[in-house]
Amino acid sequence: MTSQPRAPDRDRIADNRETGLARRQAALLRLTTGIAAADDEAAVYQSVVSGLHDEALGYAFLGVFLLDPDSGDRVLQASVGWTDVPDDWRVHRGEGISEQAVQDGHLHYTADVTRDARYLPSLNSGSEVDVPLRVDGTTIGVLVVESSEPNAFGDEDFEILTAAANQAAIAVGRARLLEAERERADEHKALLDTMAVLSSELELSRVLEAVLERAVDLLSATGGEVAIYDEEAQELEVVASQNIGKDSTGTRIKLGEGAMGAVAQSHEPLIIPAYHEWLGQSVQYADVMVHSVMVAPLLIGQRLVGATAMVHSDPKRIFNEEDMRLLNMFAPQAAVAIENARLFTSAQQQSQYFSDLVLNSPVAIVTLGEKHEILDCNPAFQNMFGYDKSEVLGKDLDPLITTDATRSEAVHYTEEALGHAIHGQGRRRRNVLLPRSVGIFVL
């Protein structure tokens, strides 16, 4: 016959149970608080393994793995208890017990790991619980919890570990959202800074260099090129080049030729993951040692202004859709800046040509304001009428070149023939009347 514990023993057992429960509840509260307080994704993973490693909970070996969407590997983010595991441990696709939780999105329990051929020895014996981490319905990783003892986990453990994984997933989703918002804010600021820089410069050569430098910096690229479109020749001309393995400035590219020629023809951006494997490359770039290439047309509406190409020399760095989104935001600003600079340069050239024409013309030419005051005059005017420029600036034209008898006729000429040559009689400073031809312009 088995004797029952005496009342003090039963009370002591009850007290121990209550104390143990209180400690576990306190540990779970610390776990929840730690996850909620994590300020980024990495801190979330560390909070999970550190919180579950609490002595009151009794979990000794833990790790959080994230799924690499490109390779399918599970990459260790945070761990505790495993002494011989590298920080960046990668469990390849098809390996390890934890892959099943990633594949079907459900908790899996292996009571004795030595009986499962997929087990990758970290403890060599014991049991393992694998809990998927799911964000917005997609499995992003797995929480792996091990014990050196077989059959070490039960329903209460499954409940605790599932709750911890769910809390972690919520925190990760929040952290990623905040990080995305920060990135958007940084992108917005970078684009505003770029617009400020580009709009403050009108000299074409400087604008082209600034466009390239800003694009390379914005996209963290190795280097790149900018080309402008020669509409008459139906060709692109590379006008700025940086770190592509050679100085390609001056290279002329036909529409449809190579990467930039292709986007100039199609008006659509292009990502080339491995340039030297791409069949459309131009022979002019056969000696360029770059890996990933991203190209976009520079358009104002549907009018082609040029093209830009960004390159990476690191095989591990491949341009993606996010990079393309940034380049597509940048390209229209660059196109406007380049076009403004081209117009400014053209206007300067025309102005210089006009100035040289006026300066060297044998015809006496004056530039008038709206009130017929002289704003400028050329040497031919000074020689014909005997005035120095300093004597006539700001003065009314008519009294300087006419007599009292011809002044009313001169005023009529001035009012009726602004912008045209006037043919009539004028006088020099000594009142000698001479037939003169004077060109009058209003600014």
Side-chain angles (χ1 to χ4, degrees):
M1 180 175 180
T2 304
S3 60
Q4 295 294 326
R6 291 177 298 177
D9 294 332
R10 290 198 298 270
D11 292 342
R12 189 161 46 252
I13 293 171
D15 289 343
N16 289 339
R17 287 175 178 170
E18 290 178 2
T19 301
L21 180 59
R23 292 178 62 221
R24 289 172 72 85
Q25 289 176 338
L28 291 173
L29 180 59
R30 288 192 294 271
L31 170 65
T32 300
T33 303
I35 293 173
D39 56 4
D40 59 27
E41 192 169 339
V44 171
Y45 302 134
Q46 191 58 53
S47 296
V48 172
V49 297
S50 298
L52 289 171
H53 191 57
D54 194 293
E55 183 180 355
L57 298 176
Y59 302 117
F61 307 98
L62 305 106
V64 173
F65 293 80
L66 273 193
L67 183 64
D68 183 336
D70 295 325
S71 66
D73 293 350
R74 299 178 307 285
V75 185
L76 185 64
Q77 305 297 310
S79 68
V80 64
W82 294 326
T83 57
D84 298 327
V85 172
D87 292 339
D88 58 349
W89 186 24
R90 298 181 76 93
V91 180
H92 301 301
R93 184 196 297 268
E95 297 179 346
I97 298 174
S98 62
E99 184 174 46
Q100 192 169 355
V102 172
Q103 289 177 337
D104 63 20
H106 297 293
L107 180 148
H108 286 272
Y109 174 43
T110 305
D112 186 351
V113 295
T114 63
R115 296 177 178 275
D116 195 317
R118 296 170 301 172
Y119 178 65
L120 292 178
S122 54
L123 300 178
N124 295 318
S125 65
S127 48
E128 177 175 320
V129 180
D130 302 307
V131 188
L133 298 175
R134 294 175 61 80
V135 175
D136 296 330
T138 300
T139 300
I140 65 165
V142 60
L143 169 64
V144 177
V145 185
E146 286 191 284
S147 171
S148 58
E149 300 294 329
N151 303 300
F153 301 99
D155 291 341
E156 185 178 359
D157 298 303
F158 304 153
E159 185 177 347
I160 290 172
L161 297 175
T162 298
N166 289 340
Q167 290 173 7
I170 292 171
V172 167
R174 182 195 65 208
R176 289 185 174 184
L177 181 61
L178 291 174
E179 180 62 24
E181 290 299 322
R182 279 193 291 265
E183 288 179 357
R184 294 291 187 276
D186 290 344
E187 290 169 8
H188 184 65
K189 183 179 183 304
L191 287 170
L192 288 177
D193 291 344
T194 296
M195 291 170 61
V197 169
L198 296 182
S199 63
S200 67
E201 184 60 70
L202 285 174
E203 184 177 332
L204 183 57
S205 62
R206 292 181 182 176
V207 167
L208 294 169
E209 290 294 338
V211 165
L212 183 55
E213 289 174 6
R214 284 283 169 170
V216 168
D217 183 62
L218 183 67
L219 294 158
S220 300
T222 302
E225 292 179 304
V226 172
I228 56 176
Y229 180 54
D230 182 339
E231 189 170 0
E232 183 176 347
Q234 296 283 290
E235 291 179 337
L236 293 169
E237 180 184 359
V238 177
V239 289
S241 172
Q242 182 182 116
N243 297 333
I244 68 165
K246 69 174 184 178
D247 183 4
S248 58
T249 304
T251 302
R252 298 190 74 87
I253 302 168
K254 296 179 181 179
L255 293 182
E257 177 188 354
M260 284 199 291
V263 302
Q265 187 174 60
S266 68
H267 290 196
E268 295 293 335
L270 176 66
I271 292 177
I272 305 171
Y275 180 72
H276 281 283
E277 297 176 5
W278 185 54
L279 298 179
Q281 63 179 272
S282 168
V283 294
Q284 299 189 81
Y285 288 83
D287 58 340
V288 172
M289 300 303 294
V290 298
H291 184 66
S292 182
V293 175
M294 178 170 60
V295 199
L298 301 178
L299 303 169
I300 297 179
Q302 288 299 311
R303 183 166 63 84
L304 182 65
V305 174
T308 184
M310 297 292 104
V311 304
H312 268 303
S313 57
D314 183 359
K316 295 180 181 179
R317 178 70 167 90
I318 298 176
F319 290 111
N320 55 35
E321 293 302 320
E322 183 65 17
D323 296 318
M324 182 60 75
R325 185 184 65 82
L326 280 177
L327 185 57
N328 284 337
M329 292 172 64
F330 171 80
Q333 309 301 330
V336 170
I338 290 172
E339 185 67 6
N340 286 343
R342 291 174 75 175
L343 292 173
F344 177 77
T345 299
S346 177
Q348 279 190 318
Q349 292 172 344
Q350 291 179 5
S351 177
Q352 185 62 47
Y353 172 78
F354 179 75
S355 296
D356 291 343
L357 185 65
V358 169
L359 183 66
N360 296 296
S361 175
V363 176
I365 300 175
V366 292
T367 304
L368 298 184
E370 293 182 354
K371 296 181 180 180
H372 302 178
E373 74 278 15
I374 297 175
L375 301 178
D376 198 7
C377 63
N378 70 343
F381 178 88
Q382 297 175 58
N383 292 334
M384 283 184 180
F385 294 100
Y387 291 107
D388 186 77
K389 182 186 289 188
S390 62
E391 297 178 88
V392 300
L393 293 181
K395 302 290 183 62
D396 190 345
L397 171 67
D398 296 320
L400 296 176
I401 63 173
T402 61
T403 63
D404 292 340
T406 61
R407 186 156 304 153
S408 60
E409 183 182 4
V411 171
H412 174 72
Y413 279 149
T414 301
E415 291 178 347
E416 294 294 327
L418 289 177
H420 304 279
I422 295 176
H423 301 279
Q425 194 176 53
R427 68 173 177 85
R428 294 176 61 87
R429 296 183 66 174
R430 294 183 176 84
N431 294 323
V432 177
L433 297 178
L434 295 170
R436 299 295 180 207
S437 181
V438 181
I440 302 175
F441 300 90
V442 175
L443 296 180

